[in-house]
């Protein structure tokens, strides 16, 4: 099953490689991994999307917790949560028909065209993985020049927050 | 007090209470060696290879419970140390390894003797650090000792670039007495609700078994475990790492379990209805086929590392905490409880266990004209009164030592259980002897293993460390040969050691005493002579029966009740 694991870790050099190394050494899957500093510059927030049986996911969370640099961790898949991924996609737009088709598709998916050249558009699109996949499919391989995806960022809904407590 | 980085490092070790540093100098650590030279509080033990330094520090740690400390240079110094670091990691041994590094300004430029020590050691350390600024040095070292010795212990590497120990830069130094880390807080106390659930299972058990491992020794919980076991009257088995955690001479002890465990221990595991796992990690050499592991048992597992729980075998009642604390709580609860173990069920269970014990599964041919390795270990046990610190290498000799030397107390059995590192025994014996200069220290080894760190005979000479080397010389890599006999139709591919050195002369050339023993009748006399010699290292080269195998044996992937006993006594 697919799980989204969010974690806060010390913003130190090498912290990312500890996580990546753990996954490769123990043979766990990574679908995507994103990381960036938080509002507290000493902490990084990471979102890992992984798949595995319940036993494997349990081991993954325990092994991640065991890393000395990991401050806090939550598997947000269990509760209500929001996940988003950003995609930048460069598509062929070299005649009037294609330009209007791409514009229309972008509007339908609530994306934005952020760069225009004589022959191409770059489209910015945010959403769940499924939405981005659907856009790629609708665009068609023959029209795609390049895609870049950020990987999933996830956050729990409501009061539930992954942050350091006062104590 | 203003000190250089090198002085801070050495002064910190003194303030931390470090007696010995095991190391080998080189370019990147010369400033540190200069600081070591100018003081007498921290004693440096010069090894002959960095692997030896890590194993010696490891042996010191296992013999004392205190962290072992290593100092090596950058590049090959660090890579040579890796095997010893991985050895300590697999067995959760507290160790701090200081590696020199090229100056920060040239890190990443493929400088002379540069390797990414933090990167290379990452998968085999509990944690590691690169110190980039001398101002961080003392606190980082304190964190390293704190992490290495608390929770589930393990090795920590501190990589120190040469400019951090620059003799021209002085900064104020104060020993950091305490350090706290928001991301690292091991659980010490067991959950009271879980403890009660466990005790309910324990007191309702008809066929209980206690299975304890190295965690008992690491936690210093041997007394609590003994009290717990004897209060309940349950049978107890130890893992290879757990030997000495419960007195091996006691009647409730049914021997080691697992691949080369006793018949009674393995059958007891297979038939038990409640298994109490204490500081053990369900290693594949213990469990055999996990699908058929303790098929009838409810399992309680006490461990300080949550990731050890339900890793390979699903458990029913997990208790995360330090074993000493958890067992103390459990013993108190047992005292306060009105419930008692089921006496008649236990009597029937013990009767069954005694039937298994009656098989005498460790029996071997005592009338042979050849020296039986088991006989050597039995005599070693007698001659040392069971009080020696015994290190071993890896292979058949290791199993015989584990089976035949009845360890009475913790810290006395020192072997590489998890990683299975040949070459461990001699340097580990050096570390143990430094820790316990007045005690007998024996290294049980074989002619293959001993050659992997043989150069440390020179270290033993330099520091006058009179350890006794018990070389069970069968001219084969015995365990490899045994597997080839059993599973490869006796095709002994590259397991025969041709061109062996004359170990007597070899020992003598290092300045030690060498003895060759090839008759069973001479074994005891030679051992007595060797241990009577209090100030000399004696290398005893026992020429043993080449064909002897380790029994009982469970083939890899088989269940506990699928044991092979020695051929003449195979089960019907």
């Amino acid at each position: 099953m697919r799980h989204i694991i969010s974690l806060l870790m010390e913003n130190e050099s090498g912290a990312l490689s500890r996580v990546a190394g753990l996954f490769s050494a123990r043979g766990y899957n990574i679908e995507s991994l994103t990381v960036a500093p938080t509002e507290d510059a000493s902490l990084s927030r990471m979102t890992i999307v992984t798949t595995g049986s319940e036993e494997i996911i349990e081991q993954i969370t325990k092994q991640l917790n065991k890393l000395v640099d990991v401050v806090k961790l939550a598997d947000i898949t269990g509760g209500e949560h929001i996940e988003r991924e950003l995609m930048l996609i460069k598509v062929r737009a070299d005649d009037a028909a294609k330009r209007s088709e791409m514009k229309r598709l972008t509007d339908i998916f609530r994306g934005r065209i952020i760069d225009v050249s004589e022959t191409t558009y770059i489209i910015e699109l945010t959403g769940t993985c499924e939405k981005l996949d659907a856009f790629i499919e609708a665009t068609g391989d023959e029209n795609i020049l390049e895609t870049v995806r950020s990987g999933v960022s996830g956050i729990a809904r409501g009061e539930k927050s992954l942050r350091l407590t006062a104590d | 007090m203003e000190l250089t980085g090198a002085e801070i490092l050495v002064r910190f070790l003194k303030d931390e209470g470090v007696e010995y540093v095991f190391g080998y100098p080189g370019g990147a650590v010369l400033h540190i060696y200069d600081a070591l030279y100018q003081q007498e509080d921290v004693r440096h033990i010069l090894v002959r290879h960095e692997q030896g330094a890590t194993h010696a520090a490891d042996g010191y740690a296992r013999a004392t419970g205190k962290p072992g400390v290593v100092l090596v240079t950058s590049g090959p110094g660090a890579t040579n140390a890796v095997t010893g670091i991985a050895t300590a990691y697999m067995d959760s041994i507290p160790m701090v390894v200081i590696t020199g590094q090229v100056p920060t300004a040239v890190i990443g430029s493929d400088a002379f003797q540069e390797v990414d020590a933090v990167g290379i050691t990452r998968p085999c350390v509990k944690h590691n650090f690169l110190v980039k600024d001398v101002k961080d040095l003392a606190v980082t070292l304190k964190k390293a000792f704190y992490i290495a010795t608390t929770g589930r212990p393990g090795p920590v590497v501190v990589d120190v670039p040469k400019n951090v120990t620059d003799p021209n830069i002085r900064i104020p130094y104060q020993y950091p007495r305490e350090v706290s880390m928001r991301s690292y807080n091991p659980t010490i106390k067991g959950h009271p609700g879980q403890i009660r659930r466990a005790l309910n299972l324990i007191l309702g058990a008809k066929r209980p078994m206690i299975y304890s491992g190295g965690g008992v020794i690491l936690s210093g919980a041997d007394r609590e475990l003994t009290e717990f076991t004897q209060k309940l009257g349950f049978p107890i088995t130890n893992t290879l790492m757990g030997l000495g955690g419960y007195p091996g001479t006691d009647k409730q002890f049914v021997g080691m379990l697992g691949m080369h465990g006793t018949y009674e221990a393995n059958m007891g595991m297979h038939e038990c209805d409640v298994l109490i796992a204490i500081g053990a990690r369900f290693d594949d050499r213990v469990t055999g086929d996990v699908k058929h592991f303790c098929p009838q048992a409810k399992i309680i597992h006490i461990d300080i590392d949550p990731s050890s729980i339900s890793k390979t075998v699903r458990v029913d009642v997990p208790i995360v905490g330090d074993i000493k604390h958890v067992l103390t709580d459990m013993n108190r609860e047992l005292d306060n409880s009105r419930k008692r173990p089921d006496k008649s069920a236990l009597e029937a269970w013990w009767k069954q266990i005694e039937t298994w014990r009656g098989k005498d599964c460790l029996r071997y041919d005592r009338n042979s004209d050849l020296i039986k390795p088991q006989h050597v270990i039995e005599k070693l046990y007698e001659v040392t009164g069971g009080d020696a610190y015994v290190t071993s290498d890896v292979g058949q000799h290791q199993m015989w030592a584990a089976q035949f030397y009845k360890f009475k107390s913790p810290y006395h059995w020192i072997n590489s259980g998890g990683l299975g590192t040949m070459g461990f025994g001699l340097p580990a014996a050096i570390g143990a002897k430094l820790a316990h200069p007045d005690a007998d220290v024996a290294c049980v080894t074989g002619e293959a293993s001993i050659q992997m760190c043989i150069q440390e005979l020179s270290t033993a000479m330099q520091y006058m460390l009179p350890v006794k080397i018990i070389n069970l010389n069968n001219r084969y890599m015995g365990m490899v040969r045994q597997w080839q006999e059993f599973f490869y139709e006796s095709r002994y591919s590259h397991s025969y050691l041709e061109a062996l050195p004359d170990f007597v002369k070899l020992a003598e050339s290092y300045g030690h005493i060498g003895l060759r023993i090839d008759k069973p009748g001479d074994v005891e006399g030679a051992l007595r002579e060797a241990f009577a010699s209090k100030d000399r290292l004696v290398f005893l080269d026992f020429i043993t029966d080449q064909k002897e195998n380790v029994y009982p044996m469970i083939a890899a992937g088989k269940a506990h009740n699928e044991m092979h006993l020695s051929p003449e006594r195979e089960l019907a």
Side-chain angles (χ1 to χ4, degrees), chain B residues 48 454-462 501-516 536-539:
Chain B
R48 298 300 181 266
I454 192 83
Q455 73 285 348
E456 302 307 331
L457 282 173
S458 183
T459 307
M461 191 64 212
Q462 181 170 344
D502 179 332
F503 286 109
V504 172
K505 283 191 192 151
L506 182 71
E508 286 170 356
S509 80
Y510 277 106
H512 302 303
I513 297 171
L515 297 173
R516 179 168 300 111
R536 299 292 298 276
L537 183 151
V538 184
F539 191 118

Side-chain angles (χ1 to χ4, degrees), chain B residues 1-281:
Chain B
M1 177 171 39
E2 300 238 314
L3 299 177
T4 70
E7 289 165 348
I8 287 173
L9 194 150
V10 174
R11 180 60 199 261
F12 173 87
L13 294 179
K14 176 194 172 216
D15 291 345
E16 188 65 23
V18 173
E19 284 179 285
Y20 293 106
V21 175
F22 300 86
Y24 203 103
V29 287
L30 282 177
H31 299 327
I32 302 171
Y33 271 83
D34 195 46
L36 273 173
Y37 188 85
Q38 299 179 49
Q39 55 86 53
E40 284 174 353
D41 299 309
V42 180
R43 286 193 57 198
H44 180 268
I45 304 297
L46 177 68
V47 295
R48 298 300 181 266
H49 185 289
E50 288 88 349
Q51 183 182 349
T54 48
H55 291 331
D58 183 325
Y60 174 89
R62 293 185 205 230
T64 58
K66 294 191 274 188
V69 182
V70 176
L71 173 59
V72 296
T73 194
S74 64
T79 55
N80 278 345
V82 168
T83 299
I85 295 169
T87 303
Y89 181 65
M90 285 290 270
D91 291 340
S92 307
I93 303 304
M95 190 150 102
V96 173
V97 180
I98 298 157
T99 52
Q101 182 55 279
V102 299
T104 46
V106 296
I107 286 180
S109 70
D110 301 322
F112 177 65
Q113 293 196 329
E114 179 184 1
V115 293
D116 175 10
V118 166
I120 284 178
T121 59
R122 187 180 302 120
C124 61
V125 293
K126 186 170 172 187
H127 197 59
N128 57 20
F129 296 97
L130 170 65
V131 183
K132 289 185 187 147
D133 189 324
V134 63
K135 290 200 282 293
D136 301 330
L137 183 59
V139 170
T140 306
L141 286 166
K142 185 67 193 177
K143 282 182 181 171
F145 277 85
Y146 172 58
I147 293 169
T149 54
T150 52
R152 179 179 181 174
V156 177
V157 165
V158 184
D159 201 27
V160 183
K162 191 167 184 181
N163 57 310
V164 169
T165 56
D166 188 338
N168 298 313
I169 300 170
R170 293 181 172 273
I171 63 159
Y173 165 78
Q174 200 180 9
Y175 173 63
R177 239 163 241 298
E178 273 179 30
V179 69
S180 80
M181 297 172 72
R182 62 182 175 184
S183 61
Y184 176 74
N185 294 297
T187 307
I188 300 302
K189 254 187 101 58
H191 188 277
Q194 290 295 87
I195 288 177
R196 270 194 298 278
R197 280 181 62 206
L199 286 172
N200 270 337
L201 264 183
I202 287 167
L203 290 171
K206 307 259 184 240
R207 300 184 310 282
M209 178 63 86
I210 299 171
Y211 143 58
S212 78
V216 170
I217 291 159
L218 294 165
S219 167
D222 51 297
R223 282 211 194 100
E224 290 75 9
L225 175 67
T226 304
E227 186 189 337
F228 177 76
T229 307
Q230 297 186 346
K231 220 188 271 293
L232 291 165
F234 289 0
I236 177 167
T237 177
N238 286 168
T239 68
L240 179 66
M241 295 309 300
L243 294 172
Y246 185 85
T249 43
D250 187 77
K251 61 184 187 310
Q252 279 173 250
F253 183 63
V254 296
M256 182 173 76
L257 83 165
M259 186 172 270
H260 295 296
T262 64
Y263 189 70
E264 50 273 32
N266 286 334
M267 289 305 287
M269 292 292 285
H270 197 76
E271 298 293 332
C272 71
D273 71 342
V274 173
L275 179 69
I276 308 146
I278 306 176
R281 63 184 178 89

Side-chain angles (χ1 to χ4, degrees), chain A residues 10 13-14 17-18 26 40 42-43 55 58-59 62-63 66-71 164, chain B residues 89 118 122 126-128 132 147 152 181-184 305-311 314:
Chain A
E10 297 291 352
S13 66
S17 56
R18 289 182 207 282
R26 294 191 181 266
D40 174 350
S42 71
L43 286 173
E55 288 79 23
E58 183 183 329
Q59 264 301 307
K62 283 174 172 176
Q63 294 290 347
K66 200 167 139 181
L67 293 177
V68 169
D69 282 338
V70 171
V71 181
L164 288 187
Chain B
Y89 181 65
V118 166
R122 187 180 302 120
K126 186 170 172 187
H127 197 59
N128 57 20
K132 289 185 187 147
I147 293 169
R152 179 179 181 174
M181 297 172 72
R182 62 182 175 184
S183 61
Y184 176 74
D305 178 3
S307 74
S308 272
I309 287 169
S310 293
K311 185 170 73 174
R314 207 76 209 155

